[in-house]
Amino acid sequence: MAAAVSSPNRGEVGRGALLFRSEYVSPHPSPPPIGEGIAIVTADQPYFSDVQNKITFGANENADVRLLSYKPAISGSEVSANITGKKLDYKLAATGRHWAIISLSVLAVVKALGLDLQKSAQALAEFSEVEGRGRVEKINAGGADILLVNDSY
């Protein structure tokens, strides 16, 4: 999801990380050297511990943008996060703890860019799984309610 942020000035620095720069660069840049921007990296993997100038996200207790709680529901999920010391509660239309973690990466990007975290969290309430990718549907079959997880892609 973090890669979905439309910005002509982003560069990938590896799996699980993005690097944002403030100057305009070509839409197809070579990745800049680490240290020339802010890296958004997962705190749940050890691969990026040496990266400088970063914002980390994940469930790890040392993450800058940390998952505090996740509560699934048929219509989505409720997420509570700690964003660099401030608690933020929001909803996702998607169900799955992995979506909650991914949403943290988006909020880390928002934090790095200095944008409004509250508005961004509210916008995440409209994010849902794409058709055929884990969407939970309640159906009635023979008088019984059944939860169907559509992961047929």
Side-chain angles (χ1 to χ4, degrees):
M1 281 186 33
V5 175
S6 59
S7 173
N9 51 351
R10 70 169 187 262
E12 295 186 36
V13 294
R15 186 172 182 215
L18 292 174
L19 183 67
F20 287 82
R21 298 186 290 182
S22 60
E23 73 274 14
Y24 177 80
V25 294
S26 164
H28 305 287
S30 298
I34 300 288
E36 289 187 16
I38 299 173
I40 306 299
V41 299
T42 178
D44 297 334
Q45 300 291 330
Y47 310 115
F48 304 107
S49 61
D50 292 337
V51 175
Q52 301 297 313
N53 202 21
K54 65 186 173 193
I55 296 177
T56 59
F57 68 91
N60 184 298
E61 65 183 17
N62 296 318
D64 299 312
V65 179
R66 180 168 54 103
L67 181 67
L68 296 176
S69 67
Y70 163 76
K71 182 179 176 185
I74 294 172
S75 61
S77 53
E78 296 177 10
V79 180
S80 181
N82 180 317
I83 314 293
T84 61
K86 294 183 183 178
K87 186 176 178 190
L88 181 64
D89 297 317
Y90 59 98
K91 295 182 181 198
L92 297 173
T95 303
R97 186 174 181 273
H98 62 290
W99 288 121
I101 297 292
I102 292 169
S103 74
L104 296 177
S105 70
V106 172
L107 294 175
V109 170
V110 169
K111 178 74 176 170
L113 296 175
L115 301 174
D116 189 313
L117 285 164
Q118 190 66 43
K119 283 184 180 180
S120 299
Q122 289 173 348
L124 286 171
E126 297 178 28
F127 172 78
S128 65
E129 304 90 343
V130 295
E131 189 173 330
R133 294 301 298 163
R135 189 170 290 169
V136 178
E137 302 172 33
K138 186 175 182 180
I139 61 172
N140 187 289
D145 287 334
I146 298 173
L147 292 181
L148 170 71
V149 178
N150 182 355
D151 203 20
S152 60
Y153 64 98

